[in-house]
Amino acid sequence: MEGIAQISQTADRNLLILYGSQMGTAEDMAERVGREARHRHFTCRVDSIDSYNIVNLVHEQLVIFVCATTGQGDPPDNMKNFWRFIFRRNLPHNSLCQMDYTVLGLGDSSYSKFNFIAKKLHKRLLQLGANPLQSPALGDDQHDLGPDAAVDPWLNDLWEKVLSLYPLPPGVSVISDLIMLPPKFSLCFLDKEATTLDAAQREGSADPPTEMQPYHALLVTNQRVTAQEHFQDVRLIEFDVAQSGIHLRIPLRTFRSSVHFSVWTRTARSSCGPHDPDTPAPPHLPQPCSVRHLVERYLDIRSVPRRSFFQLLSYFSPDEQEREKLQEFSSAAGQEELYTYCNRPRRTTLEVLIDFPHTTSSIPADYLLDLIPRIRPRAFSVASAMQANPKKLQILMAVVQYKTRLHEVRRGLCSSWLASISPEDGKQVPLWVKKGNLKFPSDPDTPLVMVGPGTGVAPFHSVVQERAALGKSGNILFFGCRGKNKDFYYEEEWMDLEMRGLLKLFTAFSRDQVCVIIGYLMSVIFVLVMEAFLFHRRIKSMSSIGYRRMGCICGGLISNRQAFIYIAGNAKSMPTQVTDALKSVFQSEGQMSALEAEQYMVMLEKCGRFQSETWS
């Protein structure tokens, strides 16, 4: 390390970086861009999009948007308010004419709406008169080198253009990458002992719980619902939310839980404050807090570190061999080796620190929050309806556990912790709810066709449970798993609802039959579902050829009763297989061409009657 950089700041070289991040990748990338900007002597502010006062955007001269795409083309949680505002029709078309901007997108090309948010934001900013510096970057998780494969050359071009428009002050040059920037925060160790200031319990609060003020719910059920010999441990977990202020109704909400490991113990305390007055203090870190609290409850030392971690770590290394390896991992040329060392075996931050002992012992305390990200909340679909049980909130959770070439088994942080809790322990879990991606029709008589293999069935259990409580039928569920006696979730409940005429269930058990895959299953049995709706239904006259042809097979489903179709589950291949199967049905049974079937599917998606919620 060649010392800490001294940044020359001028009033006309301000840069705003706004990020929309769901899992922290976009936030990490925004911080990286911010560091590169400070190396070029910009006065730089990095903030989440919804934390920024959007009305001030008209006064900004230079803005970089870093945004991820979630679900099927949805904005991240910390971008949704901005997203609604920016697409208001009454915004003047020249409202952002003074702003230079660019968009850096992060997505996954295995999804149909790859980097949809970045592309759509770029177009909207153009409509509002903003001046693009260059085309959006489209980072792809599917690339062997990850998003950096697209981002690295894009950033090089960006800084050339930015410096031509906003040149460096006379006598000032770009700070070398070998020189470290000052820390974002100062960590002060206090002499006296005191209790850690944890989030207060919300007793008596009329407002629903939030991330900043969660409800501490008692865990009352923790039941394994897969056979003991089954490879996967899936838990049905229930929380007592009678006093929480949570009221769940369709459309679904998503349960989120933060991770708290242990009770407070008296030890050395620290207080954290921003080094830069423009940088807010960490909002989720109580002040003051014990060092143990900082490590156990805030810093995610079990996460797989990103490239930026190795770059910053290299600055602290007094050992030449360790420093060279860290610099290699943080370079563009070293990304393949970094993937082999870190990403493929899912090596944790703590394990990396152990591998570089000389460097680890030299880390300044002030840089801990720059180096290690905070523990992020984990999200699960709500699997219960309050109409059926208003005092309980239920999730269906797969306990994450797998092996890599490393000796220690990899375990999910939140799922392992929740699975370890016994109802007899009397432990409380901080939780809150938020809107999910699936939007269900307001009319409970609207038919629903739901495809939910494995734990993807959880949100549909909630919907069916609510509609059954209202005595509503028209619920069609496709469920697939490995074995009828191993992981058939909610079997008894589904059977009871079928007997009562409130559910039509189609199942497939891949290990119990010879050749059943979800795509083939859908192409065969989806016809049966549509025929059930077609029976004695009048086919309405339709304007387009596609509609006329589809009318002969699914007039009752699509036209008369306006059914909604939903998919939930693993994003790897199932959604594509189901979608392709649907289009095949449209072609074979509706006599559509491939193009017409594709257009028909797009139409269903645009009007909200075909939706999916998937996860990796």
Side-chain angles (χ1 to χ4, degrees):
M1 184 177 71
E2 298 183 6
I4 297 178
Q6 298 297 317
I7 301 174
S8 300
Q9 297 182 341
T10 58
D12 61 342
R13 302 188 81 253
N14 293 314
L15 170 61
L16 175 65
I17 301 175
L18 297 176
Y19 63 85
S21 184
Q22 191 74 12
M23 302 302 294
T25 305
E27 181 179 356
D28 179 76
M29 186 65 72
E31 293 291 354
R32 172 192 168 183
V33 177
R35 286 191 295 272
E36 294 193 14
R38 294 184 186 98
H39 275 274
R40 290 157 178 81
H41 299 276
F42 280 94
T43 302
C44 183
R45 176 183 175 185
V46 180
D47 206 349
S48 66
I49 293 181
D50 278 354
S51 297
Y52 174 77
N53 189 347
I54 188 63
V55 298
N56 293 330
L57 200 61
V58 296
H59 305 299
E60 300 290 350
Q61 288 186 314
L62 180 59
V63 183
I64 298 175
F65 295 88
V66 183
C67 47
T69 296
T70 67
Q72 299 299 305
D74 299 304
D77 291 342
N78 62 359
M79 187 178 176
K80 289 184 176 179
N81 292 335
F82 166 85
W83 198 248
R84 285 189 291 267
F85 180 89
I86 204 72
F87 283 96
R88 286 170 53 178
R89 293 183 178 181
N90 62 346
L91 294 179
H93 290 307
N94 63 346
S95 55
L96 298 180
C97 62
Q98 298 183 21
M99 187 180 82
D100 293 329
Y101 81 95
T102 190
V103 178
L104 193 168
L106 298 172
D108 188 320
S109 59
S110 66
Y111 287 78
S112 60
K113 291 193 173 181
F114 171 58
N115 266 310
F116 177 79
I117 297 300
K119 295 173 184 176
K120 191 169 183 178
L121 176 60
H122 172 64
K123 291 180 180 178
R124 182 54 176 162
L125 294 172
L126 278 175
Q127 292 173 350
L128 296 176
N131 309 301
L133 296 173
Q134 61 190 59
S135 299
L138 302 178
D140 185 5
D141 277 345
Q142 290 297 314
H143 194 283
D144 290 342
L145 302 181
D148 288 339
V151 172
D152 285 349
W154 183 87
L155 275 176
N156 290 334
D157 292 342
L158 174 65
W159 294 127
E160 286 186 15
K161 293 176 182 177
V162 168
L163 289 178
S164 68
L165 293 172
Y166 302 86
L168 291 165
V172 176
S173 60
V174 175
I175 300 170
S176 167
D177 288 339
L178 298 176
I179 299 178
M180 182 172 55
L181 295 172
K184 288 179 63 179
F185 304 101
S186 296
L187 201 64
C188 177
F189 292 95
L190 308 177
D191 295 330
K192 296 181 180 180
E193 293 181 347
T195 59
T196 295
L197 302 178
D198 260 330
Q201 181 58 281
R202 306 181 66 261
E203 292 180 2
S205 174
D207 297 325
T210 64
E211 182 174 3
M212 296 306 300
Q213 196 176 19
Y215 177 72
H216 289 68
L218 188 68
L219 188 149
V220 294
T221 301
N222 188 346
Q223 175 188 358
R224 177 168 177 150
V225 290
T226 49
Q228 288 297 325
E229 67 274 14
H230 189 56
F231 80 100
Q232 190 173 47
D233 181 358
V234 175
R235 301 296 179 95
L236 180 66
I237 296 179
E238 284 187 329
F239 303 93
D240 183 347
V241 294
Q243 305 300 319
S244 67
I246 295 173
H247 302 286
L248 296 179
R249 293 298 305 274
I250 289 179
L252 270 187
R253 302 297 189 266
T254 299
F255 160 88
R256 279 180 172 261
S257 172
S258 55
V259 182
H260 282 198
F261 287 164
S262 60
V263 297
W264 174 83
T265 57
R266 287 183 174 270
T267 183
R269 294 187 309 132
S270 64
S271 177
C272 178
H275 185 273
D276 186 335
D278 293 329
T279 302
H284 300 86
L285 186 62
Q287 301 284 351
C289 75
S290 68
V291 175
R292 180 165 182 169
H293 179 102
L294 182 67
V295 175
E296 289 188 339
R297 297 192 179 191
Y298 188 83
L299 299 177
D300 196 354
I301 59 175
R302 290 179 60 182
S303 63
V304 177
R306 297 183 171 96
R307 174 180 172 182
S308 58
F309 170 87
F310 293 91
Q311 182 180 25
L312 184 56
L313 196 61
S314 68
Y315 291 129
F316 312 133
S317 183
D319 183 87
E320 183 178 356
Q321 186 175 2
E322 289 186 6
R323 184 169 60 253
E324 287 179 354
K325 178 56 70 174
L326 290 168
Q327 289 173 344
E328 180 183 0
F329 283 155
S330 62
S331 68
Q335 292 311 291
E336 187 172 346
E337 187 168 350
L338 174 61
Y339 185 85
T340 301
Y341 166 75
C342 194
N343 297 80
R344 182 172 287 121
R346 309 301 293 170
R347 197 182 301 269
T348 68
T349 296
L350 181 60
E351 289 168 333
V352 172
L353 292 175
I354 293 172
D355 283 351
F356 293 87
H358 298 94
T359 306
T360 299
S361 62
S362 302
I363 297 174
D366 282 356
Y367 282 92
L368 280 176
L369 299 183
D370 293 74
L371 189 65
I372 305 174
R374 70 177 178 91
I375 296 174
R376 294 186 174 275
R378 270 53 170 177
F380 304 89
S381 293
V382 173
S384 57
M386 286 196 161
Q387 286 70 18
N389 192 339
K391 297 182 179 181
K392 300 288 179 63
L393 186 148
Q394 184 184 101
I395 63 172
L396 192 65
M397 181 194 75
V399 182
V400 178
Q401 182 173 311
Y402 57 94
K403 293 182 180 180
T404 68
R405 62 181 175 83
L406 299 179
H407 175 71
E408 186 177 341
V409 174
R410 310 290 95 177
R411 290 181 171 85
L413 189 64
C414 185
S415 64
S416 297
W417 176 66
L418 286 175
S420 71
I421 301 175
S422 170
E424 288 74 32
D425 296 340
K427 282 192 177 181
Q428 294 179 328
V429 176
L431 59 83
W432 65 99
V433 294
K434 72 175 188 69
K435 289 184 178 180
N437 293 326
L438 299 180
K439 298 175 179 63
F440 292 88
S442 56
D443 182 0
D445 290 319
T446 304
L448 304 184
V449 178
M450 298 161 282
V451 182
T455 55
V457 80
F460 302 139
H461 179 261
S462 173
V463 176
V464 172
Q465 198 176 60
E466 175 167 323
R467 287 162 63 96
L470 299 173
K472 301 299 181 180
S473 57
N475 304 308
I476 314 299
L477 175 64
F478 299 95
F479 175 76
C481 63
R482 282 176 169 79
K484 187 177 186 298
N485 298 320
K486 292 185 178 181
D487 53 344
F488 190 179
Y489 312 129
Y490 301 112
E491 178 183 7
E492 292 183 4
E493 190 171 347
W494 298 141
M495 298 300 106
D496 177 65
L497 290 173
E498 270 208 305
M499 290 180 60
R500 293 161 55 192
L502 297 174
L503 175 70
K504 183 64 176 177
L505 178 68
F506 296 92
T507 58
F509 307 107
S510 61
R511 303 299 168 88
D512 294 347
Q513 301 177 46
V514 180
C515 291
V516 177
I517 60 172
I518 190 66
Y520 175 77
L521 167 73
M522 284 297 301
S523 64
V524 174
I525 65 180
F526 198 82
V527 177
L528 301 178
V529 179
M530 290 191 285
E531 288 176 348
F533 282 100
L534 277 169
F535 188 66
H536 292 317
R537 293 287 172 187
R538 178 175 60 87
I539 299 175
K540 291 184 177 180
S541 59
M542 303 181 184
S543 57
S544 69
I545 294 176
Y547 269 89
R548 287 198 299 272
R549 290 181 178 175
M550 278 304 297
C552 69
I553 183 66
C554 58
L557 175 64
I558 300 298
S559 178
N560 288 355
R561 297 192 62 187
Q562 298 289 297
F564 281 54
I565 305 169
Y566 298 92
I567 300 174
N570 191 285
K572 188 173 183 179
S573 59
M574 182 274 296
T576 301
Q577 290 177 341
V578 173
T579 304
D580 289 345
L582 284 170
K583 287 186 283 190
S584 296
V585 170
F586 296 157
Q587 292 178 65
S588 61
E589 303 301 325
Q591 288 130 34
M592 283 187 174
S593 67
L595 178 59
E596 288 170 339
E598 180 71 35
Q599 292 173 340
Y600 192 76
M601 183 64 73
V602 171
M603 181 278 296
L604 290 176
E605 190 168 5
K606 281 186 176 180
C607 67
R609 287 170 53 203
F610 176 70
Q611 302 175 38
S612 59
E613 183 172 76
T614 58
W615 52 85
S616 301

